[in-house]
Amino acid sequence: MSFIKPLGLSVALLAPIAAHSQSLTFSDYGPNRGARAAALETFGANLAEQGIDLTFFWGGSLIGGRGTLQGLADNVADMGSVVGFFTPAQLPLYSIGDLPVENSDTWIGMSAMHELAKTNDALKAEFDAAGVHYVSTYSTSPIQLICSDKVDSLDDMKGLRVRASGPYGDALTELGAEVVRMSQADVYQALDSGLLDCNQNYYYSIVAYKQYEVANQILALDWGQNMSFGIFMGKATYEGLSDVAKAAIDAAGDAFIDIYSESLIDGLKSDRAALEGEIDGNAIDITELADADKKTLRDASNTQIEAWVARVGETGGDGKALLAEYHEIIDRKKAELDKQGYPWAR
């Protein structure tokens, strides 16, 4: 499948940029493999067609994941992948994308978060204050749990050492798990050594990090998605570009939503199918979460959403209003999907 997408800019508009090629650096904390890396390569290829050349630095080789936001503001890199839960003090409103709302469709989530980030004045002011310009959104796809031993229910998680992040980790703590915070890159060895029993992850990332080699049990939570997680530029770098280059980058950011969500939705099926079989000689057992446990998970999620609204209020933000706007966009995207289907299938 080809993910090269037209950016919707006229040939006349783009002609000047081709004559003055722009070179930019892109810092990413992850490995150059898996669905997200492939989508980023396509993002770069789309920009290359418009005369903007991205040089990717993978695996945190230029800036570590926790330092990317400040690194962009300080012009260490021009563009990069920002993870919201690494920067809760600088981006408290942006963390709305990590809330466990009842929305596990990847395209709905990504397109809703993208619209919110581009149009909400409070979020735009937060990005300005942090010294960055928002470009596009990632999604983790729905959250699953991979474990060393069989876990059939939420009750089975009580007392287990579970690597988790953000409000999902807080909800798992409420449900009795012993939550450990660590980088996804460190999880493989932690599972292998017995330091961890389980890991909050996603089908594509389980495959990308090969965690199936050290843990063979998956509890299919199909729970929310992390989207306080996206492509940003340094504000000064973006503002220093020509209007034509800015338009090309913004258009590439818009196109990325469909590119990556299509890849994730297709990959969700193929990665799960691969894990259900025997992947690299490893047999994986996938257990579906019972309906009663799904309700318990929703209740724990609502507790975390209310806690987020309260925290934002303590810093002077209007979390309730932002959440209401987010839900309105999600509902509108759901209606669009129901009526028209996914953009790439229309």
Side-chain angles (χ1 to χ4, degrees), residues 73-123:
D74 292 341
N75 300 317
V76 178
D78 300 312
M79 195 178 296
S81 299
V82 169
V83 181
F85 69 75
F86 287 159
T87 56
Q90 298 95 322
L91 300 176
L93 294 177
Y94 184 53
S95 64
I96 191 172
D98 285 349
L99 294 181
V101 298
E102 282 194 68
N103 168 35
S104 296
D105 182 273
T106 306
W107 178 79
I108 291 173
M110 286 182 66
S111 57
M113 188 63 195
H114 185 58
E115 180 175 327
L116 187 70
K118 290 192 73 170
T119 62
N120 181 268
D121 288 339
L123 272 174

Side-chain angles (χ1 to χ4, degrees), residues 32-339:
N32 185 16
R33 61 177 183 267
R36 193 174 64 83
L40 278 175
E41 293 279 14
T42 301
F43 174 78
N46 279 335
L47 284 178
E49 289 189 343
Q50 315 310 326
I52 300 175
D53 296 322
L54 289 187
T55 298
F56 287 95
F57 291 84
W58 302 100
S61 58
L62 182 59
I63 312 173
R66 292 183 181 276
T68 301
L69 181 71
Q70 191 61 51
L72 294 177
D74 292 341
N75 300 317
V76 178
D78 300 312
M79 195 178 296
S81 299
V82 169
V83 181
F85 69 75
F86 287 159
T87 56
Q90 298 95 322
L91 300 176
L93 294 177
Y94 184 53
S95 64
I96 191 172
D98 285 349
L99 294 181
V101 298
E102 282 194 68
N103 168 35
S104 296
D105 182 273
T106 306
W107 178 79
I108 291 173
M110 286 182 66
S111 57
M113 188 63 195
H114 185 58
E115 180 175 327
L116 187 70
K118 290 192 73 170
T119 62
N120 181 268
D121 288 339
L123 272 174
K124 289 191 288 184
E126 183 171 272
F127 300 150
D128 283 345
V132 294
H133 172 79
Y134 166 83
V135 177
S136 199
T137 289
Y138 300 124
S139 172
T140 56
S141 72
I143 288 166
Q144 319 299 341
L145 201 72
I146 183 167
C147 301
S148 301
D149 295 313
K150 193 169 183 60
V151 174
D152 288 324
S153 68
L154 297 181
D155 277 344
D156 289 348
M157 283 197 299
K158 290 179 179 177
L160 295 184
R161 290 160 297 182
V162 180
R163 178 265 168 198
S165 61
Y168 297 91
D170 295 336
L172 293 177
T173 297
E174 180 184 327
L175 294 173
E178 182 183 329
V179 169
V180 179
R181 313 277 176 167
M182 70 169 63
S183 167
Q184 198 69 251
D186 297 327
V187 167
Y188 184 104
Q189 183 161 351
L191 285 169
D192 191 34
S193 67
L195 180 64
L196 288 179
D197 299 304
C198 300
N199 176 41
Q200 168 195 318
N201 210 345
Y202 328 94
Y203 287 128
Y204 83 90
S205 188
I206 289 170
V207 172
Y209 283 96
K210 298 189 175 184
Q211 290 170 359
Y212 54 80
E213 293 180 345
V214 290
N216 63 1
Q217 303 291 323
I218 293 176
L219 183 61
L221 301 178
D222 293 327
W223 184 23
Q225 48 191 316
N226 285 115
M227 292 175 298
S228 174
F229 176 35
I231 301 171
F232 285 77
M233 289 190 72
K235 181 181 176 183
T237 301
Y238 179 80
E239 291 180 347
L241 298 174
S242 69
D243 288 344
V244 174
K246 289 176 185 176
I249 287 169
D250 291 343
D254 293 343
F256 184 82
I257 299 301
D258 291 350
I259 293 167
Y260 190 37
S261 59
E262 179 182 7
S263 174
L264 282 177
I265 288 167
D266 287 347
L268 183 67
K269 299 171 186 175
S270 61
D271 288 336
R272 170 157 177 160
L275 289 165
E276 285 179 319
E278 188 172 285
I279 183 167
D280 296 341
N282 298 278
I284 308 299
D285 180 39
I286 300 179
T287 301
E288 299 294 332
L289 192 66
D291 289 342
D293 273 354
K294 289 180 181 178
K295 182 182 182 305
T296 300
L297 209 53
R298 285 196 299 272
D299 291 342
S301 298
N302 289 334
T303 299
Q304 299 311 314
I305 292 169
E306 291 167 4
W308 176 85
V309 171
R311 284 196 303 274
V312 167
E314 290 171 0
T315 63
D318 192 345
K320 188 174 181 180
L322 187 62
L323 187 63
E325 184 176 346
Y326 186 37
H327 278 300
E328 184 276 325
I329 298 173
I330 289 172
D331 290 343
R332 180 157 37 82
K333 296 296 182 180
K334 284 179 179 176
E336 179 184 341
L337 180 61
D338 290 343
K339 184 176 182 180

